[in-house]
Amino acid sequence: MNTEQGARDPPFMRNVGLLLTYHCPASCAHCIVRAGPDRHEEVSLEDARDWIRQIAAYRNGYVYVLSLTGGEPFSNLKLLRAVMEFAAENNLYISLVTNGFWATERERARQLLQSLPKISFLSISTDIYHQKFVPFENVKNAIWAAKECSIPFYVSVVADNKGDPDYQQIYTELLKLADPKQIRTGITFPVGRAADIKDDLRYSLSNEPCSEICQASSSPCIFPDGRVYGCIGPLYELQEQQPLYLGNLREHSVAEIFDRSETNAILHALRLWGPAWFVSQLREAGMGDHLPTVFVSESICQACYSILSDPAIREWLHQLEQDPEFRQKVAYGRLYHLEETRMLELDGY
Amino acid sequence: MSASAKPTMMSASARKCAMPESLLKLFKNDVRRVPEIPHANGWIIFDHEMLISVLRNDNPKIRNELANQIEKMNRANGMLISVQR
């Protein structure tokens, strides 16, 4: 664990996600957006182009990377290619999240990656849930193709707990193909389809929440219907009733929503101190009865979700966000820890 | 320097000097636990490795554009400090 201030904090909003489609050849039991073969909602090319144009123009090219996710972005290759081409024309770098279903053969996988506009990063998902639909051989082929095409990649794995033998077996296999730093593990959270199997999830539990700061909320994500969330995590299921819902592109421009997110004190407090800080503040404020008695070990998203899914806590947070002292603390905290001045400027300190 | 040429925004270091003493003390004692390897959860975080990948992009036009952006950001307040480390 690194406690050095700011050294590994992702800069805010340099990376923006776009969920291209809910369609996916797999219907994994843990999928938070309930993607699957029967889902067909996707972003229209017209909307995607409009939003990409706005993203690229925002603060004269402030956003560097457009991360395309889903669902499975490769499931509609025509849409994927058109969106990638438009993003590249607008000088955005592109990263992709995929389960590698398309990598049925090495050479074919290489040709497909080469045929697309430049990919700056590839995230390949595999775990016990994905492997029920996508063979590990495909993941091996996708990794091989990424290496052949000199595309930096991560492998994303989820597990109910890191001591799970199935997870450890997958991790061991992955170590033969990738550096440990290229393997990123998340804990399954009981949201979306995973809520249906929550009693079967083999969590290890703790009395205290995960104490890490939040990195995911540095990258907002746009959904096909125009909703924008502060992260792609489980909070998405809370719809518009939570502080990390940033707005809808059908009602506001990208610039309006992104500017507003710069002064979202709850979001930036999560980046600065993580959900555990809120848990301690809530306990001090006598709100402990609204907190869970146990947390999922090492799951920062579960800690965050458990706080923000409670209506009384959301109301408390709403009040907190109006508090000038708290806002000042967050604005200066961003300067001190993250070297970010935007909130100081916009809030007029 | 004419009034119109006067900078309208303070630099990060200047702002740090203006930071309330009580907050400065508070932040010095902050313990922030940053994961060494970022969590996955199906998401990609823009991090140093991604920046390096971007900088090593073999398209000179794109690299030049990035350099221009970094230059612009530096002039506009050193916003890229967190990825310059």
Side-chain angles (χ1 to χ4, degrees):
Chain A
M1 192 73 68
N2 186 338
T3 54
E4 190 182 339
Q5 289 171 342
R8 296 183 64 86
D9 286 290
F12 186 56
M13 237 162 31
R14 296 289 192 192
N15 178 32
V16 171
L18 175 60
L19 192 142
L20 277 187
T21 176
Y22 287 92
H23 187 267
C24 182
S27 49
C28 297
H30 75 306
C31 184
I32 63 165
V33 298
R34 295 180 184 269
D38 299 330
R39 298 287 301 268
H40 299 287
E41 313 96 292
E42 61 184 19
V43 72
S44 72
L45 189 53
E46 188 187 358
D47 279 339
R49 283 181 172 152
D50 177 24
W51 299 338
I52 288 168
R53 198 180 291 115
Q54 291 186 57
I55 291 166
Y58 179 64
R59 285 161 63 188
N60 296 319
Y62 178 83
V63 178
Y64 289 158
V65 182
L66 184 71
S67 285
L68 301 175
T69 184
E72 171 53 56
F74 282 79
S75 66
N76 183 344
L77 208 49
K78 192 176 164 191
L79 175 68
L80 175 66
R81 194 183 299 277
V83 169
M84 288 178 76
E85 282 169 357
F86 195 74
E89 282 168 26
N90 281 272
N91 293 324
L92 287 166
Y93 301 98
I94 298 153
S95 71
L96 296 175
V97 182
T98 180
N99 61 27
F101 83 95
W102 41 271
T104 50
E105 291 170 23
R106 275 185 167 192
E107 193 51 37
R108 192 178 289 179
R110 186 178 66 82
Q111 284 171 8
L112 177 56
L113 291 183
Q114 277 180 337
S115 75
L116 291 166
K118 174 86 180 171
I119 302 169
S120 291
F121 251 77
L122 193 65
S123 173
I124 305 162
S125 307
T126 187
D127 40 60
I128 54 164
Y129 301 108
H130 280 96
Q131 287 186 12
K132 287 187 178 155
F133 301 92
V134 181
F136 191 57
E137 204 55 36
N138 289 41
V139 173
K140 284 184 184 173
N141 293 340
I143 291 173
W144 179 86
K147 286 178 179 171
E148 282 289 301
C149 299
S150 300
I151 298 171
F153 67 92
Y154 298 137
V155 185
S156 296
V157 190
V158 297
D160 300 351
N161 70 78
K162 288 183 184 173
D164 185 303
D166 292 332
Y167 160 73
Q168 290 189 340
Q169 190 184 344
I170 291 170
Y171 190 85
T172 305
E173 286 299 310
L174 286 171
L175 282 177
K176 296 173 189 167
L177 307 164
D179 186 89
K181 284 189 173 176
Q182 292 173 300
I183 306 169
R184 300 196 166 178
T185 304
I187 303 292
T188 320
F189 30 74
V191 168
R193 202 177 278 129
D196 305 340
I197 55 159
K198 65 180 174 188
D199 294 336
D200 301 328
L201 298 172
R202 294 159 292 176
Y203 287 139
S204 64
L205 300 170
S206 164
N207 290 329
E208 292 302 321
C210 175
S211 60
E212 292 169 354
I213 57 103
C214 175
Q215 295 182 306
S217 53
S218 292
S219 301
C221 184
I222 301 168
F223 282 67
D225 62 1
R227 282 175 296 154
V228 186
Y229 290 98
C231 78
I232 183 76
L235 296 179
Y236 128 88
E237 194 168 86
L238 298 174
Q239 302 283 319
E240 293 156 27
Q241 301 158 337
Q242 44 101 356
L244 266 61
Y245 172 69
L246 304 177
N248 193 311
L249 289 171
R250 306 219 184 279
E251 295 158 14
H252 301 281
S253 68
V254 163
E256 286 168 336
I257 290 173
F258 284 10
D259 274 351
R260 211 161 47 216
S261 72
E262 283 280 8
T263 58
N264 183 323
I266 302 297
L267 184 154
H268 292 291
L270 284 168
R271 295 179 64 227
L272 284 165
W273 302 296
W277 181 84
F278 282 104
V279 169
S280 75
Q281 298 295 306
L282 284 158
R283 283 173 178 158
E284 276 180 30
M287 297 282 287
D289 289 351
H290 292 272
L291 294 166
T293 48
V294 288
F295 295 89
V296 176
S297 297
E298 300 186 78
S299 176
I300 187 169
C301 293
Q302 188 270 341
C304 190
Y305 185 82
S306 68
I307 298 169
L308 296 181
S309 56
D310 184 282
I313 294 179
R314 283 202 300 266
E315 178 52 33
W316 184 85
L317 290 170
H318 179 69
Q319 299 298 326
L320 180 68
E321 213 200 351
Q322 317 301 318
D323 177 9
E325 205 176 304
F326 172 68
R327 296 192 65 82
Q328 186 192 39
K329 182 178 169 181
V330 173
Y332 278 108
R334 288 183 69 188
L335 172 63
Y336 185 87
H337 291 301
L338 310 173
E339 300 280 359
E340 293 171 352
T341 59
R342 190 73 175 163
M343 190 168 172
L344 287 169
E345 290 155 18
L346 292 174
D347 267 7
Y349 290 107
Chain B
M1 188 185 284
S2 70
S4 60
K6 197 175 171 183
T8 54
M9 289 188 289
M10 293 164 78
S11 70
S13 56
R15 281 189 182 280
K16 200 170 265 182
C17 294
M19 190 179 294
E21 189 65 28
S22 57
L23 287 179
L24 198 57
K25 273 187 196 162
L26 198 70
F27 297 147
K28 277 180 183 164
N29 292 322
D30 267 351
V31 176
R32 300 182 65 246
R33 306 190 75 83
V34 183
E36 233 161 81
I37 297 178
H39 288 182
N41 295 335
W43 195 233
I44 294 178
I45 288 169
F46 187 105
D47 62 4
H48 296 186
E49 285 169 57
M50 186 180 282
L51 182 70
I52 290 164
S53 160
V54 162
L55 289 170
R56 286 190 178 143
N57 193 296
D58 56 7
N59 182 333
K61 190 182 159 198
I62 291 176
R63 285 172 55 172
N64 193 44
E65 174 62 25
L66 180 73
N68 290 342
Q69 287 180 358
I70 290 172
E71 204 170 51
K72 202 185 300 171
M73 292 298 167
N74 284 347
R75 280 202 301 266
N77 251 0
M79 293 287 283
L80 269 180
I81 286 171
S82 60
V83 288
Q84 283 175 329
R85 286 191 176 99

